[in-house]
Amino acid sequence: MLKDRLIRLIYEKAFKYSEEPVFKLVSGRMSNYYFNCKAVTLHPEGMYLIGNIIFEIIKDLPVKGIGGLTLGADPVAYAVAYTSFIKERPIEAFVIRKSAKSHGTMQWIEGNIKSGDKVVIVDDVITTGKSTIEAINKARDAGLDIIKVIALVDRQEGGYENIMEQLKDVKSDYRLIESVITRDEVMSLYKDINSRKNL
């Protein structure tokens, strides 16, 4: 199963755990958990797994583009766009800059999408949801119609709820926010592997 393999890859390449909170997060807070998902989103097998799993989630939606705030979202969006072409259901990848382009059109968003297009916002990890919310706001400012938000990993620390609050005005017949993998699923594998080591 693709998801099981992705959990294993994240555990092996992107996850660290400590009994004491020794990992400093972007917010400045210390945590027991650390996810560096770029070690997976930039990995050949990781890209294959992510592209196929997320494509299956969104393939039946009326979506034109997929993207999010650079840098975390970029390889996720690229993997899905590449997979979508192979599956003959092309979905455009786009990039939301952290600061506006300083020359030319001085735009915030790169890619073949325009105002009115329906898009999916992605992120590699959500903790508080801050970078995802920034992407949502920039996409809305550009006139994009957000129909779904997908996180590769949800750290289950309030980000999901914060993003839901941001999207409370969106009416949807399907799950508006989805995570591919949760912290609990990775921790479950961590505990399983470590309990076997101690036998």
Side-chain angles (χ1 to χ4, degrees):
M1 188 175 162
L2 296 183
K3 181 176 172 177
D4 290 341
R5 178 57 192 153
L6 183 57
I7 292 171
R8 168 70 68 159
L9 207 58
I10 286 173
Y11 167 77
E12 290 174 353
K13 297 190 173 297
F15 177 69
K16 289 188 176 3
Y17 174 73
S18 169
E19 293 289 341
E20 298 297 321
V22 297
F23 304 110
K24 191 171 185 178
L25 304 178
V26 175
S27 64
R29 191 169 59 78
M30 303 302 286
S31 175
N32 302 73
Y33 311 91
Y34 181 67
F35 288 91
N36 177 16
C37 282
K38 290 170 192 66
V40 173
T41 62
L42 296 168
H43 183 274
E45 185 184 4
M47 293 184 95
Y48 168 80
L49 295 168
I50 291 162
N52 279 276
I53 291 169
I54 295 182
F55 175 76
E56 284 300 314
I57 294 171
I58 67 173
K59 67 180 181 181
D60 296 324
L61 302 181
V63 57
K64 173 72 187 296
I66 183 166
L69 194 69
T70 196
L71 177 71
D74 298 347
V76 177
Y78 302 159
V80 177
Y82 178 81
T83 303
S84 74
F85 184 79
I86 291 172
K87 304 274 192 179
E88 300 182 343
R89 163 68 174 94
I91 298 168
E92 296 278 353
F94 64 90
V95 174
I96 301 176
R97 294 172 173 272
K98 287 187 177 170
S99 56
K101 198 172 180 179
S102 60
H103 59 282
T105 55
M106 294 185 280
Q107 61 197 20
W108 284 91
I109 298 178
E110 299 288 350
N112 299 304
I113 52 168
K114 62 187 185 307
S115 179
D117 285 343
K118 295 183 185 302
V119 301
V120 172
I121 297 292
V122 287
D123 212 337
D124 57 352
V125 182
I126 58 169
T127 304
T128 63
K130 184 182 173 194
S131 64
T132 311
I133 290 167
E134 188 178 340
I136 289 166
N137 290 334
K138 292 282 190 302
R140 284 180 157 175
D141 289 346
L144 302 178
D145 181 7
I146 299 162
I147 62 170
K148 196 172 184 71
V149 174
I150 299 175
L152 179 60
V153 175
D154 180 2
R155 286 175 52 103
Q156 298 171 287
E157 294 181 33
Y160 182 97
E161 291 77 12
N162 292 339
I163 295 164
M164 274 301 291
E165 177 65 20
Q166 197 71 19
L167 296 173
K168 62 185 177 186
D169 58 323
V170 178
K171 300 290 182 279
S172 176
D173 295 327
Y174 42 82
R175 285 179 68 187
L176 193 55
I177 305 176
E178 204 162 329
S179 56
V180 176
I181 289 165
T182 64
R183 180 196 70 197
D184 284 353
E185 288 174 314
V186 180
M187 271 305 293
S188 177
L189 178 61
Y190 172 87
K191 288 173 182 172
D192 183 49
I193 288 171
N194 279 276
S195 67
R196 275 187 270 138
K197 279 181 186 172
N198 295 327
L199 288 177

